[in-house]
Amino acid sequence: MFRTACVAFAMSALCAPRAFAQFTDVTESSGVADIVDVHYAENPNWWLSGIHFVDLDDDGKLDLFLSSHGGGDALAALGDGGGGFVVAPGNYPPTELHLSYDFDEDGRNDLTMTYVDGGAQWWKNFSTAGMLDIRATGITRDGNTARTQVLVDLNRDGRVDWLRAAPPGIQIDFGDGNGSFAQDSLAITIPNTDSNNNANIVPGDFDNDGDIDLLVMVGGGYDDTAGRTYYYRNDGLVGGMPQFSDQTAAAGLPLDGLVVKGVGDYDLDGSLDLIGIFNKALPPVVYKNNGHGVFSLVTDAISGVAPETLTYAAWGTAIKADFDNDGIPDILMNGKYYLMLLRGTGGGHFAYMNDAWHLTDICPCSIDGGLAFGDIDGDGDLDIAGYANIAEPYQVKVYRNDNPAQHWLRVRLIEVTAIKARRAQRFGFMRRARNSSLAMNRLRSIVFRLRRVITARR
């Protein structure tokens, strides 16, 4: 079965010169400005609460979904594959998109959406090219039990499981691969969480032992703390249930003050490193992984970001991708109230590039606000969507990446039942609430490693 939309991977380091991204504001020419203006005219109190690129109609082109927290329904726009968008006809959810994933493996992206306040509901996708038909299912989770959601196979049965931030910390619903999840299959108690102070979750194989560990972030929001990160190592299965132990201290992470925003193999050594906010202050900090789940702070990892004290550390995310197609990972990171593009310079070091690359450093980044990136015009590099302002009514910015032409591959993931379990475990495919790019980042790491092998053998 086809499981995701096409994704472009730059292969510049094989035989193309180093490139430097330059972005052009195409909000007007893409049609997005008019689409948003008309929606505000019809819904003056619309609370835009999330920006997403996702293939909604299964035509291989990225579409745009603008979430709603109230005051009017969400807005979907179909992409033409060349960077243009038109309002989508048909039926689709009216609230906030959390995850896009083919939960029943029929080839279309299904969606989890906000249900009541802080709950979740799965919507099944029946769309055809050019016409949306996305219908609500009876799979719901109550309010304050799904503000953060993650999809990843924890019990190693080859089927994706659904993790939700809910009392007593994390609830795990085991998936059956056919569009159903067994509610509250397993719970993990997380200190300092409750129905209002939810955890954030980042899964990954941090100790390279083949199973999925969890980083769990608490605080840093309305609780007026600096926040902290727990590292829960997956110690294997007992009776089919994954067992986790708190290894934060042994991993070398601070016991207080660190809020991890994202993970990725920043230095291309095959292990997942971390980027985060420490003591509610910029610039961000980077922690290098020694390959066994032990982390060390990278000195002066980020240049060009002025020191600043933040009001909140909890919101926002940091995504690893290659925006200038030079083979070195970059990071797109946001929070309240910033959006930063950090260019990788090698060895886990980064440089702030918003000014040089013409990106507005603004993001309201409420609990549900965020960013989006993807190749919307089919030219092999990654474009970006973000916010234009920090006060309501929120406006959207679309930035076209004008990298020089490069060598790149368009990849479409194909499900093969006999091998999906071990491949999913080996490569750590996963999805995270409010962004669905961790799986793609992991695939890029594979492509980076392949590229290095090919380069070495030339």
Side-chain angles (χ1 to χ4, degrees):
M1 294 289 184
F2 293 110
R3 297 186 59 183
T4 68
C6 295
V7 180
F9 296 99
M11 298 294 287
S12 58
L14 289 177
C15 51
R18 187 171 182 138
F20 295 91
Q22 296 285 330
F23 290 87
T24 300
D25 184 342
V26 294
T27 312
E28 297 283 346
S29 60
S30 67
V32 170
D34 286 342
I35 290 171
V36 171
D37 287 346
V38 169
H39 200 63
Y40 269 124
E42 297 172 349
N43 305 275
N45 296 317
W46 177 39
W47 183 346
L48 170 60
S49 61
I51 305 171
H52 314 267
F53 285 138
V54 57
D55 184 8
L56 295 170
D57 61 348
D58 196 38
D59 65 351
K61 304 166 186 173
L62 287 175
D63 308 309
L64 177 66
F65 191 93
L66 302 177
S67 291
S68 174
H69 195 66
D73 288 347
L75 175 62
L78 298 183
D80 62 10
F85 295 90
V86 296
V87 173
N91 303 306
Y92 53 88
T95 59
E96 293 159 322
L97 195 163
H98 287 262
L99 300 168
S100 64
Y101 180 76
D102 182 10
F103 79 146
D104 55 358
E105 300 185 3
D106 68 350
R108 299 181 181 88
N109 281 315
D110 307 300
L111 311 176
T112 65
M113 307 295 299
T114 294
Y115 175 76
V116 296
D117 187 15
Q121 181 173 32
W122 277 97
W123 289 61
K124 180 172 170 53
N125 198 338
F126 296 89
S127 301
T128 56
M131 177 61 67
L132 297 189
D133 182 9
I134 307 175
R135 307 174 194 173
T137 73
I139 303 174
T140 62
R141 298 296 183 262
D142 291 336
N144 290 323
T145 67
R147 290 190 187 277
T148 295
Q149 303 169 45
V150 172
L151 291 174
V152 63
D153 182 10
L154 280 182
N155 60 356
R156 308 189 71 170
D157 65 351
R159 303 179 181 95
V160 168
D161 307 313
W162 188 14
L163 282 67
R164 301 174 288 110
I170 299 174
Q171 292 287 351
I172 301 171
D173 302 341
F174 291 150
D176 65 2
N178 295 312
S180 294
F181 298 89
Q183 187 167 358
D184 300 340
S185 306
L186 178 67
I188 303 175
T189 299
I190 307 297
N192 304 311
T193 62
D194 56 38
S195 60
N196 289 313
N197 295 311
N198 301 131
N200 286 309
I201 311 162
V202 177
D205 184 7
F206 298 104
D207 54 1
N208 290 324
D209 66 350
D211 52 27
I212 301 300
D213 313 300
L214 300 175
L215 291 176
V216 182
M217 283 63 67
V218 300
Y222 290 140
D223 63 347
D224 199 31
T225 69
R228 65 166 297 171
T229 296
Y230 295 97
Y231 170 43
Y232 286 90
R233 186 184 65 200
N234 189 331
D235 295 322
L237 299 176
V238 175
M241 295 289 184
Q243 307 296 306
F244 293 92
S245 61
D246 183 353
Q247 299 293 323
T248 310
L253 296 176
L255 297 182
D256 197 25
L258 175 66
V259 176
V260 171
K261 312 298 288 186
V263 304
D265 184 5
Y266 303 144
D267 54 3
L268 299 179
D269 67 351
S271 300
L272 292 174
D273 309 304
L274 317 176
I275 187 169
I277 298 296
F278 186 66
N279 281 341
K280 295 200 293 189
L282 295 177
V285 294
V286 173
Y287 280 81
K288 174 181 171 57
N289 189 342
N290 72 350
H292 302 286
V294 177
F295 300 90
S296 58
L297 181 66
V298 179
T299 304
D300 298 326
I302 296 174
S303 63
V305 177
E308 180 181 348
T309 299
L310 301 173
T311 305
Y312 303 109
W315 300 312
T317 191
I319 305 302
K320 188 202 79 171
D322 188 3
F323 289 93
D324 58 354
N325 288 356
D326 66 350
I328 301 173
D330 309 311
I331 296 176
L332 183 63
M333 181 175 183
N334 74 332
K336 200 173 184 73
Y337 297 96
Y338 60 86
L339 171 68
M340 298 186 292
L341 209 167
L342 306 173
R343 176 175 173 267
T345 57
H349 288 78
F350 300 87
Y352 177 83
M353 297 301 293
N354 285 59
D355 296 334
W357 286 356
H358 308 130
L359 291 169
T360 302
D361 189 345
I362 282 177
C363 182
C365 207
S366 299
I367 294 174
D368 305 296
L371 53 86
F373 71 95
D375 185 7
I376 62 174
D377 52 2
D379 65 351
D381 52 26
L382 296 172
D383 312 298
I384 296 172
Y387 286 87
N389 58 328
I390 58 175
E392 296 183 67
Y394 299 130
Q395 299 294 328
V396 177
K397 285 276 192 181
V398 180
Y399 301 97
R400 185 187 66 217
N401 192 335
D402 292 326
N403 259 321
Q406 300 286 333
H407 297 274
W408 52 278
L409 297 176
R410 183 174 294 275
V411 177
R412 187 175 178 95
L413 303 184
I414 299 176
E415 185 63 76
V416 181
T417 302
I419 62 174
K420 68 180 181 180
R422 66 175 179 268
R423 284 189 176 176
Q425 286 300 325
R426 181 180 177 189
F427 297 136
F429 296 152
M430 60 198 75
R431 300 271 181 172
R432 185 187 178 195
R434 304 188 184 98
N435 74 80
S436 57
S437 59
L438 286 179
M440 300 302 101
N441 287 342
R442 194 63 171 156
L443 268 179
R444 287 189 188 95
S445 293
I446 297 166
V447 172
F448 288 145
R449 293 197 290 272
L450 172 64
R451 185 186 314 164
R452 292 166 69 195
V453 171
I454 295 174
T455 302
R457 293 178 178 176
R458 289 181 61 197

